[in-house]
Amino acid sequence: MHQEKIQDAIKEVRKVVVGQDRMVNRLLIGLFTNGHILLEGVPGLAKTLTVNTLAKVLHLDFNRIQFTPDLLPADLIGTMIYNQQNGDFEVKKGPIFSNLILADEVNRSPAKVQSALLEAMQEKQVTIGENTFQLDRPFLVLATQNPVDQEGTYPLPEAQVDRFMMKVHIDYPGKEDELEVMRRMANMSFSSEVEPILSKEDVFDIRDKINQVEVSEPLEHYIIELVFATRFPEQYGLKEEAKYIQFGVSPRASINLNLASRAVAFMNGRDYVLPEDIKDVAEDVLNHRIILNYEAEADNVNTRDLIQIILDKIPINKSVTLK
């Protein structure tokens, strides 16, 4: 039943957004597993439109925050304002109080604003004055950043990027998809209205169902092996790749690989995880957690290439014992 609703929701999004099924899939995985998503792609690839449309289909409260260099933490979380009528200070909540938050061009704002956002992501609460407020549930941050224009930006520190469950690279659409995009958007009477399909209750039910999806012990060990191959590549016969990796992935990688692969299995109608589910999400979960050195940049080596090599190299053993 839930799988059918999820497919109906994806079809509804397709009425507006063309050729971004992978992005929609990742956003749903993040929502269903309580994980935040970082979207990276050049301008004009429908990142904002997709998130906005998905919020309507999910019948969730949605706020878009445009990050700029002059943005302050109070603009994000709220502040205390003086009420002249009663002579007292009142709490004015900021746009962070919503179910879906689109942090547009998150690398445009300075560190103190990024820290305020990331603290809210981690703690699911904010403090304004002397009052602490719990954020709405479900609460999901979908942040975008433009990899092309780096002038006047404040790149997210690696330790803070690690708080995102997945970093999804958005590519250009194919010729057929772009033709359809052109036809739709060049039609000035085109409507972007969609019907709500899923509710908050559905999201919480789906989370409960995903929590019951089984990950076999060999696959649990396989996840650990993938993670350790990024930390100690030479031990896995990756001598050539080892010279490019400065730091391997954090423990959040193994947690999120487990969660994301279970979400993929559930969305495909299974109550158990297959190796293909883990491989399907490995790039998005690992790519922002592997920190490369200057030699990798000089040799034009990127994390996606390394992840593919690791997936090809690490076998799935039926009877694995951790050493």
Side-chain angles (χ1 to χ4, degrees):
M1 172 184 161
H2 284 305
Q3 283 90 347
E4 290 177 6
K5 275 194 169 183
I6 291 170
Q7 290 306 315
D8 289 342
I10 293 171
K11 288 176 184 175
E12 199 68 20
V13 173
R14 283 178 185 154
K15 290 180 180 178
V16 179
V17 181
V18 180
Q20 294 294 3
D21 288 353
R22 182 169 170 272
M23 179 176 21
V24 173
N25 176 270
R26 280 3 184 199
L27 295 178
L28 288 172
I29 289 174
L31 179 69
F32 296 152
T33 58
N34 206 21
H36 308 287
I37 308 294
L38 180 62
L39 303 173
E40 184 174 88
V42 298
L45 296 184
K47 298 186 291 295
T48 304
L49 179 65
T50 303
V51 176
N52 197 350
T53 306
L54 191 61
K56 293 177 184 176
V57 171
L58 297 170
H59 203 54
L60 296 174
D61 294 331
F62 169 75
N63 272 331
R64 175 181 179 270
I65 306 169
Q66 181 65 52
F67 279 62
T68 56
D70 60 348
L71 199 71
L72 297 173
D75 299 325
L76 189 70
I77 65 173
T79 187
M80 304 288 290
I81 61 171
Y82 184 70
N83 188 325
Q84 289 183 331
Q85 291 182 337
N86 58 24
D88 202 1
F89 283 92
E90 294 179 351
V91 172
K92 175 70 173 176
K93 291 183 178 180
I96 197 80
F97 288 90
S98 193
N99 298 125
L100 283 184
I101 303 295
L102 175 61
D104 222 349
E105 294 193 292
V106 68
N107 55 336
R108 288 274 172 211
S109 65
K112 58 185 178 181
V113 180
Q114 294 175 1
S115 297
L117 173 69
L118 291 157
E119 183 182 358
M121 287 165 50
Q122 187 71 17
E123 307 299 332
K124 304 292 193 299
Q125 64 181 32
V126 297
T127 301
I128 305 172
E130 297 178 355
N131 302 305
T132 298
F133 300 92
Q134 297 294 322
L135 294 170
D136 299 339
R137 294 180 63 242
F139 175 70
L140 183 68
V141 172
L142 309 168
T144 71
Q145 61 179 13
N146 178 1
V148 177
D149 183 10
Q150 295 300 325
E151 187 175 344
T153 62
Y154 305 82
L156 288 166
E158 284 84 355
Q160 294 189 1
V161 174
D162 190 44
R163 294 175 189 265
F164 287 95
M165 180 186 195
M166 291 190 279
K167 179 180 177 182
V168 184
H169 292 275
I170 313 300
D171 293 324
Y172 288 113
K175 290 181 180 179
E176 292 297 322
D177 288 336
E178 183 133 0
L179 180 63
E180 181 61 27
V181 169
M182 181 182 68
R183 285 171 175 168
R184 284 191 192 182
M185 296 307 169
N187 179 4
M188 289 185 283
S189 61
F190 173 74
S191 173
S192 61
E193 292 303 312
V194 290
E195 296 294 324
I197 304 294
L198 291 167
S199 64
K200 287 185 183 181
E201 290 71 25
D202 289 325
V203 172
F204 295 135
D205 286 345
I206 290 169
R207 286 183 179 180
D208 290 338
K209 293 288 192 298
I210 289 174
N211 210 32
Q212 297 168 21
V213 173
E214 187 70 27
V215 184
S216 66
E217 191 172 348
L219 288 184
E220 286 181 331
H221 291 175
Y222 177 59
I223 289 172
I224 299 302
E225 295 296 324
L226 290 176
V227 166
F228 271 69
T230 69
R231 299 175 190 168
F232 311 104
E234 290 181 340
Q235 296 179 14
Y236 291 83
L238 300 167
K239 294 182 179 179
E240 184 66 24
E241 291 73 22
K243 67 181 183 180
Y244 297 124
I245 299 175
Q246 187 173 2
F247 294 105
V249 300
S250 73
R252 285 194 182 107
S254 51
I255 296 167
N256 288 322
L257 271 175
N258 183 301
L259 283 169
S261 60
R262 280 156 61 191
V264 170
F266 175 79
M267 291 165 71
N268 288 328
R270 286 180 276 104
D271 61 357
Y272 56 91
V273 172
L274 295 174
E276 289 73 21
D277 300 329
I278 299 171
K279 292 180 177 181
D280 182 33
V281 295
E283 178 186 310
D284 297 319
V285 172
L286 300 179
N287 73 75
H288 57 300
R289 294 185 163 96
I290 298 175
I291 300 175
L292 303 181
N293 53 29
Y294 290 110
E295 194 170 348
E297 188 175 349
D299 290 351
N300 202 25
V301 173
N302 60 52
T303 54
R304 284 180 281 181
D305 295 334
L306 291 176
I307 291 165
Q308 191 55 55
I309 293 170
I310 290 171
L311 290 173
D312 293 340
K313 195 88 171 181
I314 306 301
I316 303 169
N317 297 323
K318 300 301 180 186
S319 55
V320 183
T321 54
L322 297 180
K323 297 180 181 178

